Amino acid sequence: MASEQPQSQAAAAADSPEVEQITYDMRELLQKSGELTLDEKFALCRSVGEECIQEAELRRLLEKKPHIVAYDGFEPSGRMHIAQGVLKALNVNKLTKCGITFKFWVADWFAQMNNKMGGDLAKIQVVGRYLVEIWKAVGMNMEGVEFLSCSEEINKRPAEYWSLVMDIARRSNLKRVMRCTQIMGRNEDDDLSAAQIFYPVMQAADIFFLKADICQLGMDQRKVNMLAREYCDDCRPKRLKPVILSHAMLPGLLEGQEKMSKSDPNSAIFMEDSEAEVKTKIKKAYCPPLQIASNPCVAYVQHIVLPWFNKFDVERTEANGGNKSYSSYEELTADYESGALHPSDLKPALVKQLNAILQPVRDHFEQNAEAKALLKQVKSFKVTK
């Protein structure tokens, strides 16, 4: 359950006026003791998403509803890359800080339908347990977080779930559903199994089954979240539309890779990569000088390092400009596009700070016997697309 839309398209999808945003230091809000104000909660939640549909609805939720549920579903399909690990931990911590309950939908049946791990449900469930261990180790605040197994929860309330699936399927035409197949890394013209065609309908049903108020998934899941909102319009009685809070997608590390791939170990930093592996991958990563667009190293600084540390420290000789600490993405991009910051200085700094983030995860999988055994199993599994 894991192609970004251009911002102009995202704006066109809006069906209510956007709320005026107030700027805060997000790290200060996360560290603040005591209750956040409504404006602070809105700013913290909104900072999670590259896109929000709709901002007015999000603010209304925060103002009016005492118990808000956000959800994300993930296929246990292999090792966890840094976006799924660190970026998701950052986002969850922001939402739970606002008093929101976050439900992780451990989508084992979906991974099986999508032929991950060769469709072996037992292996898929092992991977699911490994992913949870990583989030615990990297610093996700587990207060207000629930992990729910798809196969277990559906079997507890089958009549409720399958009635939802049938109703969404009945009210959605096949062409609309087929356009959603990209959510599972497929295309409309792929040779899809019947299970894969049914996948988007079931994912839309998950939102209502989990009673989610907020869909907090990546931009690549946008189409199915919009399908769920469209279904609400057709329901009798109408359902409340979920707010869609979509985070940005990190590109792959190599030239021309729009997104990371678990089947290509060189396309991403993985959460338990060694220090040497991180250094080698970043050294080989595409990082053209003066260019911000399609530059994965700059994207890692923007979405991983700056939100985590609230700064990006570059160490270099006085002849090359001396040490500098960047506190904003705008400051960094200005230097990079002008040539004041060179890839040969950015890359070592990125390696050092990524390794600092990942060290607690390495320690956990080395020192905790159960986690170590899980990782060994996962590494032995063949990743299937």
Side-chain angles (χ1 to χ4, degrees), residues 58-317:
L58 174 61
R59 189 178 182 90
R60 196 156 50 243
L61 263 181
L62 293 166
E63 183 179 14
K64 302 292 186 182
K65 192 168 185 186
H67 304 294
I68 301 170
V69 173
Y71 110 99
D72 186 4
F74 64 94
E75 286 186 2
S77 57
R79 294 171 65 198
M80 182 185 282
H81 54 59
I82 199 165
Q84 190 179 18
V86 176
L87 185 58
K88 179 52 64 175
L90 285 164
N91 289 343
V92 169
N93 288 352
K94 288 178 179 180
L95 295 178
T96 56
K97 176 69 176 178
C98 297
I100 295 170
T101 297
F102 202 101
K103 293 184 178 182
F104 277 101
W105 193 230
V106 187
D108 50 4
W109 272 357
F110 287 83
Q112 187 178 38
M113 284 192 293
N114 207 11
N115 199 39
K116 298 302 173 70
M117 297 289 129
D120 188 324
L121 189 61
K123 289 181 178 178
I124 289 166
Q125 290 170 340
V126 168
V127 176
R129 295 197 296 274
Y130 144 85
L131 298 178
V132 174
E133 286 295 317
I134 287 185
W135 279 317
K136 290 178 180 177
V138 80
M140 182 181 287
N141 182 0
M142 292 299 167
E143 291 183 26
V145 173
E146 299 176 18
F147 291 96
L148 302 171
S149 167
C150 164
S151 56
E152 290 179 10
E153 296 302 316
I154 291 173
N155 281 331
K156 288 177 185 177
R157 292 146 51 205
E160 179 184 348
Y161 185 79
W162 294 114
S163 294
L164 268 170
V165 172
M166 292 291 287
D167 197 42
I168 294 171
R170 186 173 64 85
R171 297 175 187 273
S172 305
N173 66 57
L174 186 57
K175 285 184 179 180
R176 179 68 180 87
V177 171
M178 289 292 288
R179 289 201 300 273
C180 292
T181 54
Q182 65 173 233
I183 65 173
M184 50 182 168
R186 310 294 175 179
N187 295 311
E188 294 177 54
D189 54 0
D190 285 352
D191 184 17
L192 301 174
S193 69
Q196 288 169 321
I197 295 171
F198 217 53
Y199 186 119
V201 178
M202 290 176 63
Q203 185 171 328
D206 294 342
I207 296 165
F208 306 107
F209 184 70
L210 295 170
K211 298 176 174 54
D213 304 293
I214 299 171
C215 301
Q216 204 296 279
L217 297 89
M219 286 292 292
D220 60 339
Q221 304 296 299
R222 186 180 188 276
K223 280 186 169 65
V224 75
N225 292 330
M226 291 302 295
L227 178 68
R229 284 179 63 91
E230 291 163 15
Y231 168 67
C232 293
D233 288 330
D234 200 34
C235 282
R236 297 292 182 272
K238 289 188 177 182
R239 292 177 177 269
L240 286 177
K241 293 180 179 180
V243 171
I244 303 173
L245 198 55
S246 304
H247 61 255
M249 303 296 293
L250 279 182
L253 288 174
L254 304 180
E255 185 175 4
Q257 291 183 328
E258 291 186 4
K259 60 187 295 187
M260 300 176 183
S261 170
K262 291 182 181 180
S263 59
D264 179 1
N266 293 313
S267 77
I269 302 298
F270 289 90
M271 291 298 291
E272 72 292 326
D273 275 348
S274 68
E275 290 189 28
E277 286 172 324
V278 171
K279 183 177 182 179
T280 298
K281 288 181 180 182
I282 296 300
K283 185 177 180 179
K284 293 179 179 178
Y286 181 60
C287 190
L290 312 178
Q291 180 181 320
I292 297 299
S294 303
N295 187 325
C297 292
V298 174
Y300 268 53
V301 176
Q302 179 186 6
H303 295 292
I304 302 293
V305 176
L306 278 170
W308 192 268
F309 293 112
N310 224 30
K311 61 178 182 174
F312 179 63
D313 292 330
V314 175
E315 297 177 1
R316 56 192 175 185
T317 64

Side-chain angles (χ1 to χ4, degrees), residues 4-22:
E4 297 184 37
Q5 301 292 321
Q7 192 59 39
S8 58
Q9 287 180 280
D15 55 20
S16 66
E18 293 196 345
V19 176
E20 182 181 355
Q21 295 187 34
I22 302 170

